Amino acid sequence: MDVNTKQLKKNAFRVTKERGIAASRVRVPGGRMDAKYLSVLQDIAETYGNGTIHLTLRQGFEIPGIPFEDMDKVNAMLQPVIEGMGINQEEKGKGYSASGTRNIMACVGNSICPYGNYDTTAFARKVEKEIFPNDLHFKVCFTGCHNDCAKVRMHDFGIIGMTMPQLDPNRCISCGACIKRCKKKSVGALQAMNFRPVRNEETCLGCGECVLACPNAAWTRSQKKYYKLTIFGRTGKKNPRLGVDWIKWIDEESIIKIIKNTYAYVEKYIDPNAPGGKEHIGYIVDRTGFEEFKKWALKDVTLPEIAEVTSPIYWNGIKYK
């Protein structure tokens, strides 16, 4: 069977080590799906695959053992899953039309975890609707707090949840629990003054540990959601490195705009000879300089007044020659 393997990969099938056999990759934006779709994946695996399903590191599924000639049938079976998760699709029944922009990852967020400062799944799905499908190689990851269970610093864009803690002095009983918790589990941004906790605005991470520690609900999370945006973490053979902090106390709208702006930047500067048409964004920034990226990324972006932008940005990582 003659197969265009480039088109196969774009359709979110993986070429495997076994000749004529593919693996179907299933997107799960935000890492959460209705349980009813699991039976669809089971049917695909048992009907066209080898009866197994792999949980991918990007929180999706991979169904191996699919003969090339059955890929269209698998795409047809995936249709209710794609529609059920609200994933943009160019043509119904044809599966995914791109795989370059990877499945968007997220920790469980504040719908489950007490440390979560926002609904990570909802934000991940919102960004999915904005940027998928696209062939460019983007990795985006969301985590609810600075514990960073999702390891966002391994991605091109990492979004860490922050809260602006609010103190009601009338409820504070001066027990010092928040100060002890902040010192023990965070960065020690609180100290006692006149029998009340005082927050150091420069060092505070907005992690919310003070809110969790307070026995009398004197500390509460702000209604307004804030985030820390980290950029250009990556794995790989050539120069793996951790993402670095770029903008602290940024809002949701600005993050979405920056990510979308970066697609235009990459389209302009990507190496035309990049293998498979894919190049980590950080390598492109290495060529153009950070200020050029910044100019594109912040175009028409109005950051919140409290946003703190780190400049200049320095990174290095492990380099192999």
Side-chain angles (χ1 to χ4, degrees):
M1 180 181 182
D2 292 332
V3 171
N4 183 333
T5 55
K6 186 176 181 180
Q7 185 61 36
L8 177 156
K9 293 176 183 176
K10 183 178 176 180
N11 197 201
F13 283 91
R14 180 192 294 275
V15 176
T16 69
K17 60 186 290 184
E18 191 175 356
R19 186 181 294 274
I21 299 296
S24 172
R25 289 178 288 175
V26 181
R27 296 179 74 87
V28 184
R32 188 179 303 188
M33 66 191 299
D34 290 344
K36 63 183 179 183
Y37 297 125
L38 293 175
S39 61
V40 177
L41 306 186
Q42 179 184 0
D43 285 346
I44 294 173
E46 294 179 345
T47 303
Y48 297 109
N50 61 14
T52 69
I53 297 176
H54 179 77
L55 300 178
T56 74
L57 293 174
R58 292 207 64 80
Q59 296 186 321
F61 295 97
E62 191 158 293
I63 307 172
I66 298 172
F68 284 175
E69 57 267 28
D70 289 332
M71 290 188 293
D72 289 343
K73 299 172 185 173
V74 169
N75 277 337
M77 291 184 71
L78 281 174
Q79 188 60 30
V81 180
I82 294 172
E83 291 184 8
M85 287 192 284
I87 296 172
N88 293 333
Q89 191 179 29
E90 293 182 348
E91 188 175 0
K92 287 188 176 182
K94 299 295 183 182
Y96 305 101
S97 55
S99 60
T101 293
R102 299 298 199 242
N103 188 49
I104 297 177
M105 296 173 59
C107 73
V108 295
N110 70 357
S111 65
I112 297 175
C113 178
Y115 294 97
N117 287 317
Y118 69 106
D119 187 337
T120 51
T121 303
F123 198 175
R125 289 175 176 172
K126 188 173 184 178
V127 170
E128 166 84 10
K129 295 292 288 184
E130 294 282 348
I131 67 175
F132 187 82
N134 199 299
D135 289 331
L136 294 179
H137 188 71
F138 275 51
K139 292 182 176 177
V140 183
C141 186
F142 295 80
T143 198
C145 73
H146 278 80
N147 286 334
D148 192 9
C149 296
K151 298 177 177 53
V152 301
R153 296 179 192 279
M154 305 292 282
H155 299 72
D156 295 309
F157 291 100
I159 296 91
I160 299 172
M162 301 178 71
T163 189
M164 184 65 75
Q166 315 285 317
L167 179 67
D168 181 351
N170 295 319
R171 296 190 65 89
C172 179
I173 57 176
S174 304
C175 66
C178 57
I179 298 173
K180 293 177 183 176
R181 177 74 72 90
C182 185
K183 183 177 181 180
K184 186 175 183 180
K185 296 193 67 177
S186 190
V187 296
L190 297 178
Q191 61 177 333
M193 293 181 66
N194 297 324
F195 305 101
R196 290 286 187 273
V198 175
R199 172 175 158 271
N200 185 321
E201 296 181 2
E202 292 185 1
T203 57
C204 176
L205 294 175
C207 62
E209 287 286 353
C210 52
V211 177
L212 296 170
C214 183
N216 205 38
W219 284 108
T220 54
R221 289 187 170 92
S222 57
Q223 291 296 314
K224 176 73 175 177
K225 303 296 183 185
Y226 295 102
Y227 310 89
K228 177 182 286 183
L229 180 62
T230 71
I231 52 174
F232 306 151
R234 66 184 180 220
T235 57
K237 302 181 183 72
K238 195 173 180 181
N239 181 200
R241 61 190 177 200
L242 291 177
V244 296
D245 295 356
W246 183 28
I247 306 177
K248 182 179 175 184
W249 303 113
I250 189 173
D251 63 335
E252 182 175 309
E253 293 74 19
S254 298
I255 290 172
I256 293 173
K257 185 67 176 175
I258 287 171
I259 294 174
K260 294 177 69 175
N261 284 346
T262 302
Y263 277 90
Y265 164 81
V266 172
E267 287 174 356
K268 171 71 175 179
Y269 290 111
I270 190 172
D271 181 352
N273 299 313
K278 297 180 176 60
E279 185 176 30
H280 280 289
I281 304 168
Y283 289 122
I284 302 172
V285 176
D286 289 345
R287 288 199 304 273
T288 68
F290 185 79
E291 290 303 314
E292 181 66 11
F293 159 76
K294 183 179 173 181
K295 181 181 73 177
W296 283 71
L298 292 180
K299 181 182 178 184
D300 299 328
V301 173
T302 303
L303 295 172
E305 289 186 4
I306 66 169
E308 299 175 15
V309 182
T310 300
S311 182
I313 290 285
Y314 296 105
W315 57 52
N316 192 3
I318 301 170
K319 293 184 178 180
Y320 298 100
K321 297 181 179 179

